Amino acid sequence: MQPTGKPAKLFWVRLLVVLTLLAGVNYIAWRWIASLNWDAWWIAVPLVAAETYSLVDVLLFGLTVWRLKTRPAAPPAPADATVDVFITTYNEPLDLVMTTALAAQRIRHPHSTWILDDGDRAELRELAAANGLGYVTRGADWDGMPRHAKAGNLNNALMVTEGEFLLILDADQIPEPDILDKTLGYFNNRKTALVQTPQYFSNVPADDPLGSQAPLFYGPIQQGKDGWNAAFFCGSNAILRREALMQLGLVGYVKETEKSIRRALSASQAAIRKARKAASGEPALMQQTLDEVEAATREARRRLDAGESLSEITYRARRRVEQAVQTLVLADVSALQSDLAEIAAMSPVAVGDAGVPVVTDDAVQRMAARDWSPLGAIESVQAVLDALSVERTDEAQPVMPLATISVTEDMATSMRMHGLGWQSVYHHEVLAYGLAPEDIGTMLTQRLRWAQGTIQVFLRENPLVQRGLKLGQRLMYFATMWTYLSGFAAVVYFAAPIIYLLFGILPVSSLSTDFFARFIPFMVVNQLLFAVAGKGIPTWRGQQYSLALFPTWIKACTTAAANVWFGRPLGFAVTPKDRQSGGPRWSLIRPQIVVSVFLIAASIVGIGRLVAGMSEPIGTFVNVFWVVFDLIIMSVLIRAVLYQGNPAAVHPDGTDSVNETSIERAVRGPQL
């Protein structure tokens, strides 16, 4: 274990957190109350809002590192613990997958190694068999069903394997032979559901031009979250307890089924109310039947609220409706024929994101809007209730343990496990070596997917209102989601100096002593907090990309919102594990280039205005300094576009992909 988070360090971290809180609140309160230039409110208010966002961001970081946790070595692994090692793959090169699989096969603790091939490739099946590896792919029961990408692949494998614990590895993550020896002992605590280890990339040069290593996240941030029992699953290099996942799947299935039953009953009651209006002249028997069906739906809702068995509720409701229909001997056949055609076209039930059948919006709208004949309304209720059976033996994975509400399955899964009372562990030691993107296009695709998935979770299952989570856990998950809103703040930070230097419009009332006396202490303690919390690790690259990738963060927020609120597809792309061909792709950073041009032009104009006596020296100096800082931030993208991979990294097949020393460490024996 790396000895971070010692008591002395923790003291200084907490002191700086308190100072950051005091200085930050002092500055932001003064900004809102006394410094706004209301004549230019259209930039003054966005700027102070962006600064407020940044204060919340740094305070959430401070709260995270408040409980930096240093764990001693794990107890010895239980010798009888059964483990399945899952290597997930879709279309990665076969030699890359097999290199990881053979390394996994050599893990010392007894285990079974499985290749989970979502590409269903015959050649990979043959290679697995030839090397004594397990091979799993989707069966015919998945045809026509939502596949849910990696989450669906893992859920499928869960149903055909038996290990008590699961080590999940991406296709490029080569494990150390002792990875299980150093982590399984944490599961001696029966409440531990997850042990996450860092993701480290062996093909990244020392200057890390694409910001792949994330040492701040896989260091103080995860260690801090661990102190709040909120270290979360990062998709790979993690060990999970099967029992926790299966409980998660069953609880999720019950919750989603209950939601769907409530929708079905609401739709049924709407249809009956419509039919009652049209049945004023119908025989008394028809009126009695409608009363009986409506009473059946009310009774079902009462039982739902009382927490009774879902299968019993749906069974009783269906039986009462069937009996009511059987008592009818008179019906308007011509009206019923029209209604039956509507029912046939209704498709009342579809499979939702969680793999659970749900009453469709189409069915709800049709049932609520149509003027039904009395018997047609009853038949529509019967159709929905019959389709919404709780027992579903003919569907692909009706129980989905890993969350499928997002294009990234990891965060939502661990958040749900924490909500059920399970615990997690962050083991701060590199035990697997992977491949980072080797070009900016692949990097942007990867970062966009991560951000989209996080925002999807935020919009669908906001941790601040999730039942079962403790306050600290809520804030730890929220902190990660909050960071992806930084793209909007970045736009304001770039715009403010441009507006001043071009037009002389200052968003603050004046750059007085009061301003600097509050602003400078806040910035100093803010940077000191990051420096002390991240002592010994490079954090500057991460700070650069948090601002420089503002178009990616904005796109992630808008596309994820469109997906969650309006159902627009996101698409899903597996991150390529090899370098993409072609020269520098400047078009990928066009928005940043445009902003940089404006920053440079604004500086030239601003200096010209100063020479001509049209602006204040202090204001010009401050904003030119601000522009220089922004340009330094943006400069990381120049190196990123020109970066064509690490020539010192050598893959076993001869391509420049994997650092040879990491292969020698992780793979002992013959390779493909």
Side-chain angles (χ1 to χ4, degrees), residues 145-168:
M145 305 293 291
R147 296 183 67 84
H148 301 300
K150 182 179 175 181
N153 191 10
L154 289 166
N155 285 328
N156 178 68
L158 277 169
M159 302 305 170
V160 296
T161 57
E162 298 178 349
E164 184 181 1
F165 303 102
L166 313 169
L167 168 59
I168 297 176

Side-chain angles (χ1 to χ4, degrees), residues 547-565:
L547 284 175
L549 294 186
F550 70 94
T552 300
W553 311 142
I554 292 173
K555 181 179 180 181
C557 292
T558 55
T559 55
N563 172 261
V564 172
W565 294 337

Side-chain angles (χ1 to χ4, degrees), residues 61 213-223 530 533-534 537-539 543:
F61 174 76
Q213 294 293 20
L216 188 64
F217 176 77
Y218 287 113
I221 290 179
Q222 276 283 54
Q223 288 180 296
F530 277 92
I537 60 175
T539 61
Q543 292 184 59

Side-chain angles (χ1 to χ4, degrees), residues 285-367:
L285 182 58
M286 182 67 74
Q287 296 282 359
Q288 293 171 6
T289 304
L290 289 172
D291 291 342
E292 177 64 15
V293 173
E294 187 171 22
T297 58
R298 284 200 304 268
E299 175 68 10
R301 290 182 71 94
R302 186 191 66 76
R303 290 176 176 273
L304 267 179
D305 294 337
E308 296 187 19
S309 164
L310 299 182
S311 59
E312 184 69 17
I313 291 169
T314 55
Y315 173 76
R316 286 178 177 273
R318 293 201 308 272
R319 288 286 304 197
R320 287 188 67 175
V321 173
E322 288 171 2
Q323 291 170 0
V325 171
Q326 290 171 4
T327 63
L328 286 177
V329 293
L330 298 173
D332 184 342
V333 177
S334 61
L336 177 59
Q337 288 176 338
S338 174
D339 289 341
L340 289 176
E342 180 77 9
I343 294 167
M346 195 163 57
S347 301
V349 173
V351 178
D353 288 335
V356 177
V358 298
V359 179
T360 63
D361 289 332
D362 173 71
V364 172
Q365 292 168 2
R366 286 173 183 258
M367 291 181 70

Side-chain angles (χ1 to χ4, degrees), residues 13-94:
V13 165
R14 290 182 172 180
L15 176 61
L16 287 168
V17 169
V18 173
L19 292 176
T20 300
L21 171 64
L22 296 175
V25 171
N26 178 53
Y27 171 68
I28 293 299
W30 175 81
R31 287 281 286 113
W32 278 104
I33 295 169
S35 75
L36 290 181
N37 179 7
W38 288 106
D39 292 335
W41 63 267
W42 45 271
I43 184 61
V45 173
L47 179 58
V48 73
E51 291 178 300
T52 305
Y53 165 84
S54 297
L55 174 61
V56 173
D57 194 43
V58 73
L59 291 181
L60 287 171
F61 174 76
L63 186 67
T64 300
V65 297
W66 186 267
R67 286 192 178 182
L68 275 174
K69 189 165 191 174
T70 303
R71 288 184 177 270
D80 59 347
T82 58
V83 182
D84 288 321
V85 178
F86 287 170
I87 299 160
T88 60
T89 178
Y90 176 61
N91 61 0
E92 293 85 353
L94 299 185

